[in-house]
Amino acid sequence: MVLLKLQRSLRKGESRLPKKLLATICGKWESKLTTLNRLSKLRSIPILMTALGILLNKQFNPEKPNAVWCSDITYIHTGKGFAYLTSIMDLFSRRIIAWRLSSTLEARWVVECILEAKELRRTTQPLVLHSDRGTQYVSGIYMESLKNIMPSYSQKASPWQNACIESFHALIKREWLYGFKIRDFDHAYRLVF
Protein backbone atom coordinates (compact mmCIF):
# COMPACT_ATOMS: atom_id res chain seq x y z
CA MET A 1 0.00 0.00 0.00
CA VAL A 2 2.76 2.44 1.00
CA LEU A 3 4.77 1.40 -2.05
CA LEU A 4 1.85 2.21 -4.36
CA LYS A 5 1.39 5.63 -2.76
CA LEU A 6 5.11 6.36 -3.13
CA GLN A 7 5.05 5.26 -6.77
CA ARG A 8 1.99 7.43 -7.54
CA SER A 9 3.49 10.49 -5.86
CA LEU A 10 6.74 9.90 -7.75
CA ARG A 11 4.91 9.72 -11.09
CA LYS A 12 2.82 12.83 -10.34
CA GLY A 13 5.79 14.78 -8.99
CA GLU A 14 3.90 15.48 -5.73
CA SER A 15 6.52 14.16 -3.30
CA ARG A 16 8.71 16.40 -1.17
CA LEU A 17 11.47 13.80 -1.23
CA PRO A 18 14.11 13.90 -3.98
CA LYS A 19 13.07 11.84 -7.00
CA LYS A 20 16.28 9.77 -6.94
CA LEU A 21 15.72 8.78 -3.31
CA LEU A 22 12.08 7.85 -3.98
CA ALA A 23 13.04 5.81 -7.03
CA THR A 24 15.66 3.93 -4.99
CA ILE A 25 13.20 3.21 -2.15
CA CYS A 26 10.49 2.05 -4.55
CA GLY A 27 12.93 -0.10 -6.51
CA LYS A 28 14.27 -1.88 -3.42
CA TRP A 29 10.84 -2.55 -1.94
CA GLU A 30 9.39 -3.56 -5.27
CA SER A 31 12.06 -6.22 -5.80
CA LYS A 32 11.53 -7.58 -2.25
CA LEU A 33 7.75 -7.64 -2.66
CA THR A 34 8.05 -9.29 -6.07
CA THR A 35 10.25 -12.04 -4.58
CA LEU A 36 7.84 -12.58 -1.67
CA ASN A 37 4.83 -12.66 -4.00
CA ARG A 38 6.62 -15.06 -6.32
CA LEU A 39 7.39 -17.47 -3.44
CA SER A 40 3.85 -17.23 -2.11
CA LYS A 41 2.35 -17.86 -5.55
CA LEU A 42 4.83 -20.67 -6.24
CA ARG A 43 3.70 -22.63 -3.19
CA SER A 44 0.05 -22.34 -4.21
CA ILE A 45 0.26 -23.28 -7.92
CA PRO A 46 -2.23 -26.16 -8.49
CA ILE A 47 0.32 -28.50 -10.08
CA LEU A 48 2.81 -27.83 -7.27
CA MET A 49 0.07 -28.33 -4.67
CA THR A 50 -0.48 -31.77 -6.17
CA ALA A 51 3.26 -32.47 -6.13
CA LEU A 52 3.43 -31.29 -2.52
CA GLY A 53 0.90 -33.92 -1.56
CA ILE A 54 -0.74 -34.62 1.74
CA LEU A 55 0.35 -38.20 2.40
CA LEU A 56 -0.29 -38.00 6.14
CA ASN A 57 -3.89 -36.74 5.80
CA LYS A 58 -4.31 -36.28 9.60
CA GLN A 59 -3.43 -39.94 10.31
CA PHE A 60 -1.37 -39.27 13.42
CA ASN A 61 -1.16 -42.88 14.69
CA PRO A 62 1.13 -45.03 12.56
CA GLU A 63 1.30 -48.75 13.37
CA LYS A 64 5.09 -48.97 13.68
CA PRO A 65 8.09 -46.78 14.53
CA ASN A 66 9.92 -44.89 11.77
CA ALA A 67 6.89 -44.98 9.48
CA VAL A 68 5.92 -41.31 9.84
CA TRP A 69 7.98 -38.41 11.09
CA CYS A 70 6.84 -34.79 11.26
CA SER A 71 8.90 -31.62 11.40
CA ASP A 72 8.45 -27.94 12.04
CA ILE A 73 10.35 -24.80 13.00
CA THR A 74 9.36 -22.51 15.86
CA TYR A 75 10.58 -19.06 16.82
CA ILE A 76 12.04 -18.37 20.27
CA HIS A 77 12.17 -14.69 21.16
CA THR A 78 15.38 -13.54 22.82
CA GLY A 79 16.63 -10.15 23.96
CA LYS A 80 18.83 -10.01 20.85
CA GLY A 81 16.43 -11.27 18.18
CA PHE A 82 15.18 -14.77 17.53
CA ALA A 83 16.44 -18.32 17.81
CA TYR A 84 14.80 -21.00 15.65
CA LEU A 85 14.11 -24.51 16.93
CA THR A 86 13.77 -27.21 14.26
CA SER A 87 12.40 -30.51 15.56
CA ILE A 88 11.59 -33.92 14.09
CA MET A 89 9.10 -36.17 15.89
CA ASP A 90 8.38 -39.86 15.32
CA LEU A 91 4.59 -40.04 15.35
CA PHE A 92 4.57 -43.64 16.61
CA SER A 93 6.27 -42.85 19.92
CA ARG A 94 5.70 -39.06 19.93
CA ARG A 95 9.39 -38.68 20.76
CA ILE A 96 11.59 -35.90 19.41
CA ILE A 97 14.30 -37.76 17.56
CA ALA A 98 16.35 -34.82 16.29
CA TRP A 99 16.50 -31.07 16.83
CA ARG A 100 18.57 -28.04 15.94
CA LEU A 101 18.62 -24.56 17.42
CA SER A 102 19.86 -21.94 14.98
CA SER A 103 20.14 -18.19 14.64
CA THR A 104 18.88 -18.19 11.04
CA LEU A 105 16.02 -19.78 9.09
CA GLU A 106 18.26 -21.43 6.50
CA ALA A 107 17.26 -24.79 5.04
CA ARG A 108 20.61 -26.31 6.03
CA TRP A 109 19.45 -26.54 9.67
CA VAL A 110 16.46 -28.64 8.61
CA VAL A 111 18.76 -30.84 6.51
CA GLU A 112 21.15 -31.31 9.45
CA CYS A 113 18.20 -32.28 11.61
CA ILE A 114 17.06 -34.88 9.05
CA LEU A 115 20.57 -36.32 8.75
CA GLU A 116 20.79 -36.62 12.54
CA ALA A 117 17.40 -38.37 12.70
CA LYS A 118 18.42 -40.81 9.96
CA GLU A 119 21.69 -41.60 11.74
CA LEU A 120 20.06 -42.09 15.15
CA ARG A 121 17.25 -44.26 13.84
CA ARG A 122 19.38 -46.13 11.26
CA THR A 123 16.32 -46.66 9.12
CA THR A 124 16.53 -47.88 5.55
CA GLN A 125 12.83 -48.44 5.04
CA PRO A 126 10.82 -45.82 3.20
CA LEU A 127 9.06 -43.44 5.52
CA VAL A 128 6.98 -40.27 5.34
CA LEU A 129 8.22 -36.91 6.63
CA HIS A 130 5.35 -34.48 7.08
CA SER A 131 5.86 -30.71 7.36
CA ASP A 132 4.30 -27.41 6.44
CA ARG A 133 5.08 -25.65 3.15
CA GLY A 134 7.78 -23.35 4.52
CA THR A 135 10.54 -22.37 2.13
CA GLN A 136 13.00 -24.59 4.01
CA TYR A 137 10.81 -27.64 3.34
CA VAL A 138 10.46 -27.07 -0.40
CA SER A 139 14.09 -26.07 -1.06
CA GLY A 140 16.43 -28.02 -3.29
CA ILE A 141 18.83 -29.09 -0.54
CA TYR A 142 15.90 -30.34 1.55
CA MET A 143 14.62 -32.47 -1.34
CA GLU A 144 18.12 -33.88 -1.92
CA SER A 145 18.39 -34.94 1.73
CA LEU A 146 15.22 -37.04 1.58
CA LYS A 147 16.68 -40.33 0.29
CA ASN A 148 14.18 -43.13 1.16
CA ILE A 149 11.86 -40.52 2.64
CA MET A 150 8.63 -39.40 0.99
CA PRO A 151 7.75 -35.77 1.72
CA SER A 152 4.23 -34.92 2.80
CA TYR A 153 2.92 -31.38 3.19
CA SER A 154 0.09 -29.68 5.03
CA GLN A 155 -2.35 -27.71 2.96
CA LYS A 156 -1.70 -24.00 2.78
CA ALA A 157 -2.76 -22.22 6.01
CA SER A 158 -3.63 -25.49 7.81
CA PRO A 159 -1.43 -25.79 10.92
CA TRP A 160 -3.70 -28.48 12.44
CA GLN A 161 -2.45 -30.90 9.76
CA ASN A 162 0.90 -30.79 11.53
CA ALA A 163 -0.73 -30.64 14.97
CA CYS A 164 1.55 -33.07 16.82
CA ILE A 165 4.75 -31.11 16.31
CA GLU A 166 2.95 -27.76 16.58
CA SER A 167 1.54 -28.77 19.98
CA PHE A 168 4.98 -29.95 21.15
CA HIS A 169 6.47 -26.56 20.27
CA ALA A 170 3.59 -24.76 22.00
CA LEU A 171 4.07 -26.92 25.09
CA ILE A 172 7.84 -26.39 25.38
CA LYS A 173 7.34 -22.64 25.04
CA ARG A 174 4.40 -22.37 27.43
CA GLU A 175 5.63 -24.77 30.12
CA TRP A 176 9.35 -23.98 30.05
CA LEU A 177 10.70 -21.17 27.90
CA TYR A 178 8.12 -18.48 28.73
CA GLY A 179 9.20 -18.77 32.39
CA PHE A 180 12.53 -17.13 31.52
CA LYS A 181 13.66 -13.83 30.11
CA ILE A 182 15.90 -15.25 27.41
CA ARG A 183 18.90 -12.98 26.91
CA ASP A 184 20.49 -14.30 23.72
CA PHE A 185 21.03 -17.35 21.52
CA ASP A 186 23.42 -19.06 23.99
CA HIS A 187 20.91 -18.68 26.83
CA ALA A 188 18.15 -20.13 24.62
CA TYR A 189 20.44 -23.03 23.69
CA ARG A 190 21.13 -23.86 27.34
CA LEU A 191 17.41 -23.76 28.14
CA VAL A 192 16.36 -25.95 25.22
CA PHE A 193 19.10 -28.56 25.66
Side-chain angles (χ1 to χ4, degrees), residues 149-161:
I149 298 177
M150 294 175 286
S152 173
Y153 295 93
S154 301
Q155 289 176 326
K156 190 174 179 183
S158 299
W160 52 89
Q161 291 181 342

Side-chain angles (χ1 to χ4, degrees), residues 2-11 17 22 25-26:
V2 173
L3 180 61
L4 293 175
K5 287 181 182 178
L6 281 172
Q7 285 175 329
R8 276 190 223 121
S9 66
L10 181 61
R11 273 189 235 118
L17 294 172
L22 270 176
I25 292 169
C26 289

Side-chain angles (χ1 to χ4, degrees), residues 75-92:
Y75 295 68
I76 299 171
H77 188 271
T78 73
K80 294 184 178 178
F82 287 98
Y84 307 97
L85 177 62
T86 303
S87 307
I88 297 179
M89 175 188 282
D90 185 342
L91 286 184
F92 178 77

Side-chain angles (χ1 to χ4, degrees), residues 103-143:
S103 57
T104 64
L105 276 171
E106 296 173 51
R108 71 183 172 119
W109 302 115
V110 175
V111 170
E112 282 186 19
C113 207
I114 290 169
L115 296 176
E116 180 185 339
K118 284 174 157 181
E119 186 178 315
L120 288 171
R121 288 298 174 106
R122 289 186 171 84
T123 182
T124 55
Q125 64 189 19
L127 62 93
V128 173
L129 178 57
H130 187 77
S131 66
D132 59 19
R133 292 170 184 255
T135 56
Q136 299 86 355
Y137 294 103
V138 295
S139 68
I141 64 169
Y142 173 78
M143 293 300 188

Side-chain angles (χ1 to χ4, degrees), residues 69 88-98 121 165:
W69 294 348
I88 297 179
M89 175 188 282
D90 185 342
L91 286 184
F92 178 77
S93 63
R94 299 292 198 267
R95 291 184 69 185
I96 299 299
I97 55 176
R121 288 298 174 106
I165 194 76

Side-chain angles (χ1 to χ4, degrees), residues 2-47:
V2 173
L3 180 61
L4 293 175
K5 287 181 182 178
L6 281 172
Q7 285 175 329
R8 276 190 223 121
S9 66
L10 181 61
R11 273 189 235 118
K12 292 179 183 178
E14 297 172 351
S15 176
R16 294 182 188 145
L17 294 172
K19 286 185 179 185
K20 257 187 171 176
L21 176 63
L22 270 176
T24 304
I25 292 169
C26 289
K28 284 182 181 176
W29 276 103
E30 191 170 49
S31 67
K32 286 181 183 179
L33 291 174
T34 303
T35 303
L36 288 173
N37 286 338
R38 200 175 323 119
L39 282 173
S40 177
K41 287 176 186 172
L42 179 67
R43 285 181 282 184
S44 60
I45 296 171
I47 198 154

